[in-house]
Amino acid sequence: MTRGTRDEAGVTAGVREGGGPAVTTAGLPDWLDPVVEAARTVEPRQLSRFLPPEDGRGRQSAVLILFGEGSRGPELLLMERAGTLRSHAGQPSFPGGALDPEDGDPHTTGPLAAALREAEEETGLDPSGVQLFGVLPRLYIPVSEFVVTPVLGWWHTPSPVGVVDPAETARVFTVPVADLTDPEHRVTTVHPRGHLGPGFTVESALVWGFTAGVIDRILHFAGWERPWDRSRQVPLDWHA
């Protein structure tokens, strides 16, 4: 049984009896207030046109969108997936993955537990240094059939991070939000099939696809977005 209140994403923001992950906004730095408000009010269609199938198909998963504060101010934790993976190989992404049975109910705190567990497994992150403060509406990645719950976290006590398993992760890195909002780092990616999407050229990487789309929407609804040249296009590789 879970105690708590239900948020817009349908995930209970509370604590499971016997312990478990919780969502709270208490004690967050002021600069995260716009993100908290965006998570509270944003509608699924405002984030993506790809939403979970109504028939319940798709593999339940979660990602951790982790905000920290580095030498250049607010930053996000990202990783680059190993180039040998069958799905999304070589692509920068948030830490995350599919829910395991031990994570719990996918409709309550399961995504919270999965986001923290996957982040620890992929980056070595210490979950005790993370405060979960919000959950975005569930989204869908058609190519892999993942139903993804984006979980927002505040890295109040940073811990060392790095590659845990080279077979899954090529590198782990942080990106200053200042670079993500810099118009010089913003591009429009062009998929070989003609699809257009937002992209970010940061930390010697091209962030695109699902991850870039979520970052783009967070920047927009948090009021952090700066005008940028959407006509500057970067083609993606044929195997993207």
Side-chain angles (χ1 to χ4, degrees), residues 70-101:
S71 60
R72 295 181 53 207
E75 60 186 16
L76 275 177
L77 178 68
L78 296 178
M79 50 174 272
E80 186 175 308
R81 295 170 61 82
T84 54
L85 293 176
R86 290 187 300 174
S87 179
H88 309 292
Q91 190 173 347
S93 67
F94 302 116
L99 269 66
D100 286 347

Side-chain angles (χ1 to χ4, degrees), residues 11-240:
V11 174
T12 298
V15 181
R16 288 182 300 185
E17 292 186 357
V23 171
T24 176
T25 58
L28 293 176
D30 292 343
W31 58 262
L32 274 174
D33 288 349
V35 182
V36 172
E37 180 63 14
R40 189 184 68 82
T41 59
V42 71
E43 298 292 332
R45 287 286 179 192
Q46 293 177 307
L47 288 179
S48 175
R49 63 189 179 94
F50 297 112
L51 301 181
E54 294 182 359
D55 61 7
R57 285 182 297 110
R59 189 176 183 189
Q60 296 294 325
S61 64
V63 296
L64 180 64
I65 304 174
L66 185 60
F67 289 90
E69 192 155 8
S71 60
R72 295 181 53 207
E75 60 186 16
L76 275 177
L77 178 68
L78 296 178
M79 50 174 272
E80 186 175 308
R81 295 170 61 82
T84 54
L85 293 176
R86 290 187 300 174
S87 179
H88 309 292
Q91 190 173 347
S93 67
F94 302 116
L99 269 66
D100 286 347
E102 61 266 27
D103 293 324
D105 188 343
H107 299 292
T108 56
T109 55
L112 310 180
L116 290 173
R117 175 183 55 75
E118 286 283 346
E120 181 177 15
E121 292 176 359
E122 293 176 329
T123 73
L125 172 80
D126 182 354
S128 67
V130 176
Q131 174 183 338
L132 302 183
F133 67 88
V135 181
L136 296 179
R138 289 183 177 90
L139 304 175
Y140 187 59
I141 303 179
V143 66
S144 56
E145 298 185 338
F146 277 116
V147 175
V148 185
T149 299
V151 179
L152 300 167
W154 158 236
W155 206 1
H156 59 77
T157 307
S159 54
V161 292
V163 175
V164 175
D165 183 357
E168 290 192 2
T169 308
R171 65 172 174 142
V172 177
F173 58 101
T174 56
V175 180
V177 171
D179 286 349
L180 294 168
T181 59
D182 186 339
E184 293 301 313
H185 294 297
R186 303 222 50 183
V187 297
T188 295
T189 59
V190 184
H191 194 276
R193 293 175 180 163
H195 308 310
L196 303 179
F200 300 85
T201 54
V202 290
E203 302 297 324
S204 303
L206 172 62
V207 182
W208 62 279
F210 174 86
T211 302
V214 173
I215 293 174
D216 172 79
R217 294 295 81 196
I218 289 175
L219 297 181
H220 175 77
F221 287 108
W224 294 347
E225 185 178 34
R226 297 164 58 188
W228 56 283
D229 184 3
R230 297 173 186 270
S231 68
R232 187 165 66 240
Q233 297 185 343
V234 174
L236 298 172
D237 291 340
W238 66 269
H239 53 76

